[in-house]
Amino acid sequence: MFDFFSKPFGLHITDSAVYAAPVTQNNVQLRVIAAHKQALAPGIVANGRIMQQIPLANAITELLTGAQPQPITSKKCIVAIPESQSYEHIFHFPAALHGEDLAREIAAKIADTIPLSPAETKFDFVTYSFGKEQIVFAVAVPRVVIAEYFEVLKSLCSLHPIIFEPELFGMIRNLPLSLDVKAGFIFAYVLDGYITWSTLWLNMIFDSARTPLEQVVKNPKIFLKDLEASQESFHRVSGLHVKNVLIAGQKDGVAALQNALGAHTALTVTAQKNFRTRADALPPDSMDELNVAIGLALKNIPALYPSSTIDLLRRRA
């Protein structure tokens, strides 16, 4: 019998809760084989920083033992670094620039755009080439944040984190493959009062930002100007247009964002309900908040995701 629970599971830690989910593949079908959400008391995690290590470790232990339909016993995990502690950037470089030269140029640009010294940060990146131009999606995170998460997971929970990647990767990895390949789309994920949105084509990231939901609801036109600028940049590089805005995440936030945008944009705004995985053993609404953890776990299916990823544990910088 295969021990599915020896495979890495996705672990998503937010200010209000922790989420975990392992995924397995049966022929071509991807299934969530266990999942759980454990609420956190206020102040344990604040703005993505761990403020109380032992209560968080206890919550993670309860999370794994309380997973349904059976506990999660694997020690390996793929962890999301919170958007609130990530500095995400899109850079454009000549396609001929690569290797150490490219890494040095990216490091210099990151140093110019964030309020931390190079010694205080770790960064990683992925590249997408279009003719003579390449797009670089780079993420920098304070080293102290990586250390805090690693300490709790390794020392207090006896877990083995194998990859630290941005929340965004978990958000988009569970999207279906049936999306229009001849057009880009904007994906917005709503969680804990914030919208993390990105302009995408296939699995390529052309833009990414994080915005308070309340701000968008009060004045959607400002938000839409940001989306329009992103669409123009995407079209310049790819020659394609953006047709849709897909929204997922917590139900109330999805409804609020859909209502705010619907009357002010010609784009089709849709609540995304179909994902790549099935979760027969879970309540239907579980996917709304577990999507990031599930997407992280999908990184473990190498036949589906052989391409490079962002990994803040990587010894790049």
Side-chain angles (χ1 to χ4, degrees), residues 9-22 34-40 56 59-60 63-64 67 72 77-80 153 159 167 189-192 249-250 285-297:
F9 62 92
L11 181 62
H12 183 206
I13 301 171
T14 73
D15 288 4
S16 63
V18 285
Y19 307 83
H36 196 39
K37 169 187 175 181
Q38 182 73 32
L40 293 177
L56 176 59
I60 292 171
L63 170 80
L64 301 181
I72 299 171
C77 54
I78 300 170
V79 185
L153 297 175
L159 294 176
E167 284 183 0
Y189 195 81
V190 187
L191 188 67
D192 292 345
Q250 290 171 325
D285 293 340
S286 296
M287 298 290 278
D288 295 337
E289 295 184 63
L290 284 163
N291 189 54
V292 175
I294 293 168
L296 294 168

Side-chain angles (χ1 to χ4, degrees), residues 85-227:
Q85 291 297 321
S86 300
Y87 297 91
E88 299 177 357
H89 299 279
I90 298 291
F91 301 125
H92 296 258
F93 291 103
L97 190 65
H98 53 81
E100 293 183 2
D101 292 336
L102 176 61
R104 279 195 295 268
E105 290 291 331
I106 294 171
K109 282 192 172 288
I110 289 173
D112 288 341
T113 53
I114 67 174
L116 296 171
S117 71
E120 295 176 296
T121 60
K122 282 185 66 70
F123 77 91
D124 199 10
F125 59 88
V126 291
T127 63
Y128 316 112
S129 294
F130 286 84
K132 296 182 179 180
E133 185 174 4
Q134 64 178 319
I135 296 173
V136 174
F137 175 66
V139 179
V141 177
R143 289 181 181 271
V144 65
V145 173
I146 300 289
E148 288 171 355
Y149 279 75
F150 196 87
E151 174 71 17
V152 168
L153 297 175
K154 184 77 171 179
S155 299
L156 300 183
C157 299
S158 298
L159 294 176
H160 177 44
I162 59 172
I163 296 174
F164 277 18
E165 66 176 12
E167 284 183 0
L168 176 61
F169 277 52
M171 294 173 191
I172 66 177
R173 195 176 282 127
N174 199 23
L175 289 173
L177 293 177
S178 57
L179 298 170
D180 187 354
V181 298
K182 297 182 179 180
F185 65 99
I186 292 169
F187 181 61
Y189 195 81
V190 187
L191 188 67
D192 292 345
Y194 280 87
I195 307 161
T196 299
W197 65 271
S198 52
T199 301
L200 307 166
W201 179 60
L202 302 178
N203 64 342
M204 302 180 193
I205 302 167
F206 288 78
D207 201 0
S208 176
R210 187 171 185 261
T211 307
L213 175 62
E214 183 179 6
Q215 178 179 309
V216 176
V217 170
K218 286 182 177 179
N219 195 340
K221 292 184 178 180
I222 295 177
F223 181 65
L224 286 168
K225 285 184 179 180
D226 291 338
L227 299 191

